[in-house]
Amino acid sequence: EALGELARKVVVWGGRNGPTPYTLVGSDNWEGGRLATEHLLSIGRRRILFVGPLDLPEVRLRIKGFEAAHTARGLPTHPELKLNVEFGATSVYQEMLAFIAAGHEFDALFAASDVLAMTAMLALQSQGLSIPSDISIVGYDNIGHSALATPSLTTIDQNIGEGGRLLVQLLLRQLAGEEVASCTTATRLIVRGSSVPG
């Protein structure tokens, strides 16, 4: 946003909470958050821990979708069930252990990325908790390793391939002098073994 006129020469991947001076491409983060949460609520989970960097625009949109899914079912969210951790995952393992040790009760976990979800899964399993019998888990991104986790990770696919094509297309059109509009890619839920007890 500090680029001024140069903002017309960049296209950014991310989330939008209002008008931006640059062109933005991102997945429908609100819908992704809603899909993940509705899935967990539909299988009877009621105390869902949200894990991720809470101040990032795209994550805030996922939280709004998370809250909307609860509202649609007439269910409360639990403000204490939010764990603010960065995407790098360097600290999430220890922070999850501390969160569990503090006695917080939850029966599901929705993480803002697959890496966070898989790291949280390892921390939960180290404490003798079974995934998904004790805790159902949903991640976000559908990275290649998500299908190889134990159990395989339920996740939100944000159509990164299409997002990459759109980023380049819009940038080239913009540099050629065309007016272009920000846009979003569709999100979809991929259900695997980490969320539904077999």
Side-chain angles (χ1 to χ4, degrees), residues 126-156:
S126 78
Q127 300 304 295
L129 292 162
S130 174
I131 313 298
S133 297
D134 296 323
I135 311 282
S136 292
I137 296 183
V138 178
Y140 209 102
D141 290 332
N142 194 29
I143 63 173
H145 284 81
S146 62
L148 304 175
T150 305
S152 57
L153 183 65
T154 295
T155 187
I156 297 294

Side-chain angles (χ1 to χ4, degrees), residues 87-153:
F87 276 135
T90 52
S91 66
V92 69
Y93 186 89
Q94 293 302 325
E95 291 191 48
M96 274 301 307
L97 293 180
F99 194 82
I100 297 162
H104 295 288
E105 293 184 8
F106 55 99
D107 57 12
L109 184 150
F110 171 31
S113 79
D114 287 348
V115 172
L116 290 176
M118 290 186 286
T119 307
M121 189 186 304
L122 291 173
L124 291 163
Q125 289 169 329
S126 78
Q127 300 304 295
L129 292 162
S130 174
I131 313 298
S133 297
D134 296 323
I135 311 282
S136 292
I137 296 183
V138 178
Y140 209 102
D141 290 332
N142 194 29
I143 63 173
H145 284 81
S146 62
L148 304 175
T150 305
S152 57
L153 183 65

